[in-house]
Amino acid sequence: MTANNRTVSGMRPTGPLHIGHYFGALKNWIDMQNDYEAFFFVADWHALTSNYADTSKLPQYVRDMVVDWMSAGLDPEKCAIYRQSDIRETAELHLLLSMITPLGWLERCPTYKEQQQQITDKDLGNYGFLGYPVLMTADIIQHRPRWVPVGQDQQPHLELAREIVRRFNGMYDTQVFPEPEARLTPAAKCPGLDGRKMSKSYGNGIFLQDTLEELTPKVKTMFTDPARLRKSDPGNPDVCNLFPYHKLLASPEVQAEVREGCTGATMGCVNCKKMFLQNLQTFLEPLHERRAAILAKPGLVDEVLAAGRERAAKSVKETMELVRAAMHMD
């Protein structure tokens, strides 16, 4: 009954993906597709929890996300790539789980409290926002996976999913759902150009689809060590906004060279940025080549989503038959 070789994850389609999305999640997904039966979904229903007022861009964002994923290296031959709303049984499972989930579990969710304080330009006083962890649980457990790739900050969400699973299995005296386990994604520091969190809304992102012409002025204006005003001033790579990217993109030898040049005031920030831009270009070139090939086939995204829907629907159908039987609703 348990599909121990399965993994599931998704992203909300809210705009183009940046380099933080790649190192924070996609890189791990790309590795896992080779070793697991993997399901990756574009979470368009989740996008409505905060962007429910204007849905006009959502269809294009869904397609753009699939292109970004495949450009980065997700292979639809190795994993199922599907749109969340194409699997209507997810909504049924969400409804059934919402009946047994105590309100207090949702109200104590750290993200619920934090985002209510931080997002002040939207009304988040709706059930969709409060109850999205239940929908997220349905997204995950409908495939009965063993592993869910998450960052450290998402562990409370997964633990809530595990609590809901324990409650369902105990209440209906069944073992339909295994408790999903976290597959921690290694932390990757990807600060924005201005030192804040990288975000489209801040205008400080390095996006996977950015061309060299777009990247060059961005990198030139990138914040570095605020205390280093001249090349002759010794710098501190550990507080520099740029150095984390050398850790991600440069060899250990180059990292050591940059650190020595910065702390010894023999390398200026201009040269440091040039090195970063070159490494960034080398990293993005194969992504751009794959993107061009994907866009040259107008029907490819539809084909990928259709194939992914078929694979995901088969998995979910099997689960829902067990759920309905356990709840005497079959």
Side-chain angles (χ1 to χ4, degrees):
M1 184 182 296
T2 301
N4 280 331
N5 67 326
R6 285 183 177 176
T7 184
V8 182
S9 196
M11 287 186 192
R12 296 195 311 157
T14 57
L17 298 188
H18 52 63
I19 196 170
H21 292 119
Y22 177 86
F23 286 106
L26 267 177
K27 186 176 184 297
N28 198 25
W29 293 9
I30 293 163
D31 292 338
M32 293 184 76
Q33 71 179 346
N34 296 313
D35 301 317
Y36 298 89
E37 183 183 3
F39 296 86
F40 299 121
F41 62 93
V42 183
D44 54 343
W45 278 340
H46 278 296
L48 300 180
T49 57
S50 57
N51 295 327
Y52 53 83
D54 181 5
T55 60
S56 59
K57 297 179 181 178
L58 189 55
Q60 188 59 49
Y61 283 166
V62 169
R63 300 181 68 83
D64 290 345
M65 177 162 281
V66 174
V67 173
D68 274 339
W69 284 0
M70 292 171 62
S71 299
L74 276 189
D75 185 348
E77 295 294 325
K78 297 179 178 179
C79 63
I81 298 173
Y82 66 98
R83 179 171 34 216
Q84 179 187 32
S85 61
D86 280 344
I87 310 298
R88 299 306 170 95
E89 289 88 349
T90 307
E92 179 187 359
L93 182 56
H94 169 222
L95 173 66
L96 296 175
L97 295 178
S98 72
M99 300 300 181
I100 68 167
T101 303
L103 189 60
W105 289 8
L106 302 177
E107 291 176 330
R108 73 169 188 246
C109 182
T111 305
Y112 174 69
K113 297 176 181 178
E114 291 169 9
Q115 293 199 357
Q116 275 202 320
Q117 295 171 352
Q118 294 174 5
I119 302 176
T120 58
D121 60 337
K122 297 176 183 176
D123 181 6
L124 298 181
N126 57 334
Y127 166 73
F129 184 72
L130 174 66
Y132 86 86
V134 184
L135 177 57
M136 185 183 72
T137 299
D139 288 321
I140 294 170
I141 68 174
Q142 65 186 352
H143 296 294
R144 290 171 290 148
R146 178 179 180 184
W147 301 107
V148 181
V150 294
Q152 192 76 35
D153 60 330
Q154 296 172 308
Q155 284 210 83
H157 301 158
L158 187 60
E159 184 53 41
L160 177 56
R162 290 165 59 85
E163 287 187 64
I164 294 174
V165 163
R166 287 193 289 268
R167 186 173 175 87
F168 182 95
N169 287 346
M171 185 171 291
Y172 300 112
D173 191 24
T174 183
Q175 290 298 316
V176 169
F177 298 115
E179 291 186 32
E181 299 179 40
R183 168 74 179 264
L184 286 179
T185 298
K189 185 180 179 184
C190 296
L193 300 168
D194 57 4
R196 294 184 292 174
K197 178 182 178 180
M198 188 174 290
S199 169
K200 180 185 177 184
S201 60
Y202 293 157
N204 65 352
I206 297 173
F207 298 100
L208 299 183
Q209 60 184 256
D210 279 348
T211 64
L212 180 61
E213 290 74 21
E214 292 167 326
L215 290 170
T216 300
K218 286 185 176 184
V219 173
K220 281 184 177 180
T221 59
M222 196 170 183
F223 284 16
T224 51
D225 183 349
R228 194 177 189 199
L229 303 178
R230 294 171 295 274
K231 179 180 176 179
S232 57
D233 296 331
N236 181 2
D238 296 325
V239 301
C240 177
N241 197 42
L242 175 57
F243 193 70
Y245 288 100
H246 286 304
K247 290 183 178 180
L248 294 172
L249 297 173
S251 66
E253 293 76 18
V254 171
Q255 293 177 41
E257 178 185 344
V258 171
R259 178 175 288 277
E260 182 179 350
C262 181
T263 56
T266 59
M267 177 187 292
C269 294
V270 171
N271 286 336
C272 189
K273 289 178 178 180
K274 286 180 179 178
M275 294 176 67
F276 168 52
L277 186 61
Q278 183 176 0
N279 288 333
L280 186 59
Q281 183 182 5
T282 300
F283 164 71
L284 289 176
E285 273 181 354
L287 276 70
H288 291 171
E289 290 174 2
R290 285 193 290 266
R291 174 181 295 278
I294 294 165
L295 295 178
K297 301 176 181 177
L300 181 59
V301 171
D302 291 329
E303 292 173 9
V304 167
L305 288 173
R309 178 183 66 229
E310 185 175 343
R311 291 167 65 181
K314 180 180 178 182
S315 166
V316 175
K317 182 176 182 291
E318 294 171 356
T319 298
M320 291 309 298
E321 288 175 354
L322 295 171
V323 169
R324 296 183 194 113
M327 297 182 71
H328 306 289
M329 300 185 71
D330 57 341

